[in-house]
Amino acid sequence: NAGVTQTPKFRILKIGQSMTLQCTQDMNHNYMYWYRQDPGMGLKLIYYSVGAGITDKGEVPNGYNVSRSTTEDFPLRLELAAPSQTSVYFCASRQRDRSYEQYFGPGTRLTVT
Amino acid sequence: KNQVEQSPQSLIILEGKNCTLQCNYTVSPFSNLRWYKQDTGRGPVSLTIMTFSENTKSNGRYTATLDADTKQSSLHITASQLSDSASYICVVSARFSGGYNKLIFGAGTRLAVHP
């Protein structure tokens, strides 16, 4: 199993541009999450999904959108990128069980200038 | 307000030495507490998960403790190795009605192990 994969690893965007961060997991996990990690801060939840076709907002959803058309994929869309969205983005997934174990991808480092 | 605070922010130790990282939390209603290891440029990897009833859990040279009364946890690393150099993140889960779990992440302790 590859686990959770994310693309791209790095990206530089200009203010106002749009992009999609890709996330795929091959563990057949129901739950998927998007987090951002800013320097010196804990991870913040952007959006999450409990299954295909179901998504919900986390703590910091403004400026982002998600979709979950399949169990495997959970892309994160940035519209009209702003410097405040400069961060490292992590996708995670977990099975619907009592272990609550989340598996994280390697991250995407995004810079908006 | 739900918060997780970790100390120290950073730590340097010599290879072979032991160290202890601290985590204090004000999270309610408490569900579980996790410690993650995050290598530079990588995603966090789970070390331990403890529920309310567990007060210690080990994973190799890593031992986590939990005092639910004082809302404190520690991660003890024994006989450190160069590969232990990483950030260690304490994460507390709050469980709300309807089964929704919210994770509150600490900012992490950055550990450097020197030869």
Side-chain angles (χ1 to χ4, degrees):
Chain A
N1 286 352
V4 180
T5 57
Q6 293 182 237
T7 57
K9 289 192 187 316
F10 305 94
R11 183 73 184 269
I12 298 174
L13 281 182
K14 294 190 184 304
I15 294 172
Q17 287 185 321
S18 301
M19 76 164 294
T20 299
L21 282 66
Q22 301 292 346
C23 174
T24 300
Q25 53 90 10
D26 62 358
M27 297 174 282
N28 201 33
H29 286 171
N30 304 104
Y31 291 67
M32 295 188 74
Y33 307 84
W34 274 106
Y35 296 93
R36 59 178 287 170
Q37 185 177 38
D38 299 320
M41 306 284 287
L43 275 73
K44 299 289 187 187
L45 181 65
I46 304 171
Y47 269 96
Y48 68 99
S49 169
V50 300
I54 306 169
T55 63
D56 210 343
K57 296 178 180 179
E59 298 173 79
V60 290
N62 291 346
Y64 307 95
N65 274 301
V66 294
S67 60
R68 184 97 182 269
S69 56
T70 67
T71 299
E72 294 79 19
D73 300 306
F74 190 40
L76 178 71
R77 178 84 178 159
L78 278 72
E79 306 280 2
L80 299 174
S84 61
Q85 293 178 305
T86 294
S87 189
V88 182
Y89 291 84
F90 289 99
C91 179
S93 71
R94 76 170 178 91
Q95 189 51 279
R96 186 187 296 163
D97 60 20
R98 294 183 65 81
S99 74
Y100 305 112
E101 180 77 63
Q102 286 196 19
Y103 297 85
F104 286 82
T108 293
R109 182 175 294 275
L110 175 68
T111 302
V112 182
T113 62
Chain B
K1 182 180 178 182
N2 288 326
Q3 282 187 316
V4 175
E5 296 188 351
Q6 294 187 242
S7 61
Q9 279 190 327
S10 61
L11 182 62
I12 299 173
I13 62 173
L14 293 177
E15 186 179 13
K17 298 297 186 182
N18 303 336
C19 67
T20 300
L21 314 181
Q22 300 291 344
C23 174
N24 295 339
Y25 62 92
T26 54
V27 175
S28 180
F30 177 88
S31 176
N32 57 72
L33 185 145
R34 317 154 187 222
W35 283 94
Y36 283 87
K37 179 186 180 188
Q38 185 177 19
D39 292 315
T40 301
R42 308 290 292 272
V45 175
S46 179
L47 293 175
T48 63
I49 298 178
M50 289 183 290
T51 60
F52 184 89
S53 59
E54 297 173 296
N55 55 23
T56 187
K57 184 165 278 190
S58 292
N59 178 357
R61 293 179 297 102
Y62 301 101
T63 299
T65 64
L66 172 64
D67 186 334
D69 292 331
T70 62
K71 300 188 176 181
Q72 295 180 323
S73 177
S74 65
L75 180 69
H76 186 74
I77 304 175
T78 303
S80 61
Q81 300 176 358
L82 298 178
S83 59
D84 292 331
S85 295
S87 285
Y88 292 84
I89 303 173
C90 176
V91 185
V92 181
S93 175
R95 185 172 180 85
F96 298 96
S97 59
Y100 170 60
N101 273 280
K102 177 178 180 178
L103 298 187
I104 298 94
F105 288 77
T109 292
R110 183 173 295 276
L111 175 66
V113 181
H114 289 183

